[in-house]
Amino acid sequence: MALTTDQLDTLATLAIEVPSWAYGNSGTRFKVFAGPGGPRDPFEKIDDAAQVNAFTGLAPAVALHIPWDKVDDWDALAAHAADRGVRIGTINSNTFQDDQYKLGSLCHTDAAVRRAAIDHHLECIEIMRATGSKDLKIWLADGTNYPGQDDLRGRQDRLAEGLAEIYAALDADQRLVLEYKFFEPAFYHTDVPDWGTSLVQCLALGEQASVCLDTGHHAPGTNIEFIVMQLLRLGRLGSFDFNSRFYADDDLIVGAADPFQLFRILYEVVRGGGLKADSGVVFMLDQCHNIEKKIPGQIRSVLNVQEMLARALAVDADALKVAQENGDVLGANQVLMDAFYTDVRSQLAAWRGERGLPGDPMAAYLASGYQEKIEADRVGGTQASWGA
Ligand code: AOS
Ligand code: ZN
């Protein structure tokens, strides 16, 4: 089963945002292994991210995390990105690393802490204006560890208040995307634990607020593609944070743990119009590469998304519809599985060749000498890391 020209053209619309923090050192609470050649500042992170785009043509934007990626001159950073053929994508706020946020940020009982958290987001919006970024992504570590520790309802009201003030500061062409996560770092309750809570808060804010779905933020067994379908149906799927997981929020390479799940998610994206420019869906990665080299890890990630998207596009929609309407249970399932089992690799290699890209981006990167060069050149300074 080969992809048609139309399907290949649709595939060409895929644009992935890579996370700046994927290029720095990361690890677990047990150990962070430093890798030679790690970027020392946001400019070098963008240099590395630009390599992913240069070899795959799939990653034209870089998501930043504030304050990790703060620079004195935002114009210079945006210009640097443009010079490297990429742009600044989503701005991620961070209210999880200051001591003052131990008991929460926007949901904290202390108005002074809430003020600090709101002001941080207002600063992020200024950075969006300076860099041309259109999306503010909010993930809150807010929650509690023990029943009775705080008033669940009070926290939800404070959250709504804080978000409303941040939302009111957005320009007409900017958006707020609210990420949910069912646990961690809080273990009893999380203030935005699920897509329903995120959606309810977004609906109260207005049209410029949507849900961010991180694929690692669900209980095991959750049918994530159902959530994708529902949010697209409601026009409120703002963005993905793609990664994969075996156990919790593992932040491993997307498609590594369960390619079939990624296929099912991307099938619902195709089915729900999520690839169309006016859908507003941003395809971000949120990953860490603890033991593998970062740039190859990111190249593998964007290729995995492309490959599963190609298979999702290969679903014979007409045959599927007929089987579904006839109540042909196994026939319908087979149509989907036929597409999933389609080996699209040689067709994708040819497709890349037609676009002036290497047929095998991973091999081309490894042969390019870039890795050896950064490992030799980047001596001195402090390597960036998750949480830098
Ligand atoms: C945290 O679990 C979330 O996935 C956030 O998106 C976070 O900002 C990101 O993982 C960077 O740590
Ligand atoms: Zn995330």
Side-chain angles (χ1 to χ4, degrees):
M1 189 192 296
L3 288 166
T4 64
T5 311
D6 273 2
Q7 289 166 338
L8 289 172
D9 287 345
T10 308
L11 190 70
T13 63
L14 177 64
I16 299 173
E17 279 194 19
V18 291
S20 67
W21 54 99
Y23 301 91
N25 293 322
S26 62
T28 65
R29 66 182 186 275
F30 299 100
K31 172 73 180 166
V32 174
F33 295 102
R40 281 109 17 116
D41 58 40
F43 291 86
E44 290 184 348
K45 289 182 190 175
I46 284 178
D47 289 341
D48 291 358
Q51 292 295 306
V52 178
N53 191 46
F55 285 95
T56 65
L58 291 172
V62 188
L64 302 184
H65 222 292
I66 308 299
W68 301 342
D69 294 321
K70 259 179 125 166
V71 292
D72 293 333
D73 186 344
W74 291 108
D75 287 343
L77 191 70
H80 183 78
D83 183 57
R84 300 292 189 272
V86 294
R87 62 184 160 77
I88 306 297
T90 301
I91 299 296
N92 291 252
S93 65
N94 183 326
T95 57
F96 50 88
Q97 286 183 313
D98 265 18
D99 283 342
Q100 62 182 335
Y101 298 131
K102 183 165 81 171
L103 300 181
S105 60
L106 294 180
C107 305
H108 203 288
T109 50
D110 184 341
V113 178
R114 297 203 298 278
R115 184 74 255 151
I118 292 170
D119 287 346
H120 168 66
H121 286 93
L122 300 183
E123 185 192 357
C124 288
I125 293 172
E126 286 301 332
I127 293 170
M128 289 161 68
R129 289 189 184 113
T131 56
S133 162
K134 296 297 168 210
D135 290 315
L136 169 66
K137 194 187 83 185
I138 304 182
W139 170 69
L140 302 170
D142 292 44
T144 61
N145 272 1
Y146 298 100
Q149 181 189 320
D150 197 3
D151 179 49
L152 300 184
R153 181 160 169 168
R155 291 179 73 92
Q156 202 63 205
D157 293 341
R158 296 194 284 272
L159 172 65
E161 245 175 60
L163 288 175
E165 187 173 342
I166 296 163
Y167 184 85
L170 293 173
D171 294 338
D173 63 345
Q174 294 176 331
R175 302 189 312 168
L176 180 162
V177 290
L178 182 60
E179 182 174 357
Y180 60 91
K181 180 175 184 178
F182 77 123
F183 89 111
E184 193 198 43
F187 296 114
Y188 165 57
H189 105 282
T190 292
D191 290 301
V192 189
D194 50 35
W195 68 274
T197 303
S198 175
L199 179 64
V200 162
Q201 291 285 351
C202 288
L203 290 173
L205 292 173
E207 292 288 328
Q208 288 163 253
S210 322
V211 178
C212 171
L213 186 158
D214 184 312
T215 47
H217 289 190
H218 308 85
T222 300
N223 183 335
I224 298 175
E225 60 269 28
F226 180 87
I227 302 170
V228 171
M229 174 282 295
Q230 188 69 288
L231 290 174
L232 278 169
R233 181 174 164 266
L234 299 169
R236 294 289 178 150
L237 180 60
S239 53
F240 281 102
D241 264 6
F242 278 127
N243 50 57
S244 69
R245 53 79 71 85
F246 288 98
Y247 300 102
D249 188 22
D250 304 350
D251 282 344
L252 296 172
I253 288 175
V254 55
D258 188 347
F260 183 41
Q261 181 187 61
L262 180 60
F263 164 82
R264 299 192 311 264
I265 288 171
L266 289 169
Y267 171 69
E268 289 304 332
V269 167
V270 173
R271 165 71 182 85
L275 283 177
K276 297 194 177 119
D278 63 359
S279 76
V281 179
V282 172
F283 298 88
M284 243 184 307
L285 305 181
D286 180 8
Q287 298 183 174
C288 291
H289 303 290
N290 300 345
I291 55 171
E292 65 275 28
K293 287 192 192 297
K294 323 297 178 190
I295 299 170
Q298 290 281 289
I299 290 176
R300 170 70 64 232
S301 305
V302 299
L303 293 177
N304 282 356
V305 176
Q306 185 188 41
E307 191 170 334
M308 286 305 134
L309 179 60
R311 294 192 197 192
L313 286 166
V315 171
D316 184 339
D318 294 336
L320 185 60
K321 193 161 190 282
V322 170
Q324 288 172 344
E325 285 175 357
N326 288 338
D328 182 359
V329 176
L330 294 182
N333 177 243
Q334 189 176 328
V335 171
L336 210 73
M337 298 312 292
D338 280 347
F340 174 62
Y341 286 122
T342 304
D343 188 346
V344 292
R345 287 176 295 185
S346 58
Q347 212 183 349
L348 287 182
W351 177 86
R352 283 186 200 104
E354 285 160 20
R355 286 164 173 77
L357 294 162
D360 183 344
M362 182 68 87
Y365 170 74
L366 294 176
S368 72
Y370 183 84
Q371 189 71 39
E372 291 76 7
K373 182 167 168 24
I374 58 174
E375 291 183 12
D377 290 355
R378 291 180 182 169
V379 177
T382 307
Q383 288 188 350
S385 60
W386 187 98

